[in-house]
Amino acid sequence: MRAFLRRLATIALLSMAFATTSLADEGKLHRIAIQVDQNDPQVMNLALNNANAVIEYYRDKNEDVDIDIVAYGPGLNMLRADTSPVQDRIKHLKEMLSPGKIRFSACNNTKQGMEKSEGHAIFILPEATIVPSGVVHLMELQEQGWSYVRP
C-alpha cells in the first residue's frame, strides 16, 4: 500500500511540474530596457526601431514583451517637449501598445541639471514618466532580470 501511495504521489507531483512548466512557457514575459544617453536623432530613432522590432518579433510569436526606454544625460532631449525630434514616433508607439507595455523613463537628475543651467523649467512629454535617476533605474531593471540594450 505504501509503495502504491508513493507512486501516486510521485505521479501527482510530476503532473503538477509539467503543468506548471507549460503554463510558464505560455505566459513567458520578455522585458527589455533600452538606454538613450546621446542627443543624436539617429540614436533616438535606432532605440525606437529596436523597440519596434522587438514588439513585432514577440507579437508574431504570440508572446508578451515589456519595454522601458530610459533617457538621461544629453539623451533626455528625446523626451523633452521642446526638443524631441521623435515625439510623434513616441506618441504612436504608446498608442499602438496596451497600457504599460512600453514606458519612457526620463531622468530627474538630468532634468534638474538642465533646468539649472538653462534657467527655466523643462517639460517632459506626457508619454514619459520621470524617474529619480536614469542610471539607477537601468541598474534596478537589470537586477530584476530585464535585458539591457544600448543602441
Side-chain angles (χ1 to χ4, degrees):
M1 181 71 169
R2 281 188 176 172
F4 173 74
L5 288 176
R6 271 191 233 149
R7 282 189 203 147
L8 186 60
T10 302
I11 291 170
L13 287 173
L14 286 173
S15 296
M16 287 178 8
F18 286 124
T20 303
T21 301
S22 55
L23 286 175
D25 289 344
E26 286 176 15
K28 188 169 187 179
L29 175 63
H30 305 279
R31 300 174 302 179
I32 184 168
I34 302 173
Q35 171 184 326
V36 177
D37 65 352
Q38 298 176 52
N39 186 14
D40 181 345
Q42 288 183 320
V43 171
M44 295 173 191
N45 276 300
L46 182 56
L48 294 170
N49 291 345
N50 288 337
N52 228 2
V54 168
I55 291 163
E56 293 301 320
Y57 178 83
Y58 285 113
R59 184 176 282 157
D60 289 346
K61 294 179 75 171
N62 291 320
E63 293 181 18
D64 223 357
V65 63
D66 287 344
I67 299 171
D68 195 338
I69 297 178
V70 182
Y72 66 91
L76 186 64
N77 285 290
M78 177 183 192
L79 301 178
R80 283 181 59 163
D82 61 339
T83 61
S84 177
V86 292
Q87 58 187 298
D88 290 338
R89 287 193 69 194
I90 289 170
K91 184 177 181 177
H92 176 73
L93 260 177
K94 276 291 251 200
E95 289 172 349
M96 78 178 239
L97 294 174
S98 321
K101 291 295 156 191
I102 189 161
R103 293 185 306 209
F104 295 91
S105 297
C107 175
N108 195 45
N109 285 341
T110 300
K111 179 181 176 292
Q112 289 176 345
M114 288 179 169
E115 288 174 336
K116 186 175 180 181
S117 68
E118 294 178 27
H120 61 85
I122 290 181
F123 298 97
I124 300 300
L125 296 174
E127 294 82 12
T129 301
I130 296 174
V131 297
S133 166
V135 172
V136 171
H137 186 62
L138 281 169
M139 182 183 76
E140 289 174 348
L141 290 174
Q142 289 179 45
E143 289 171 351
Q144 295 166 19
W146 287 60
S147 298
Y148 164 79
V149 172
R150 180 174 183 231

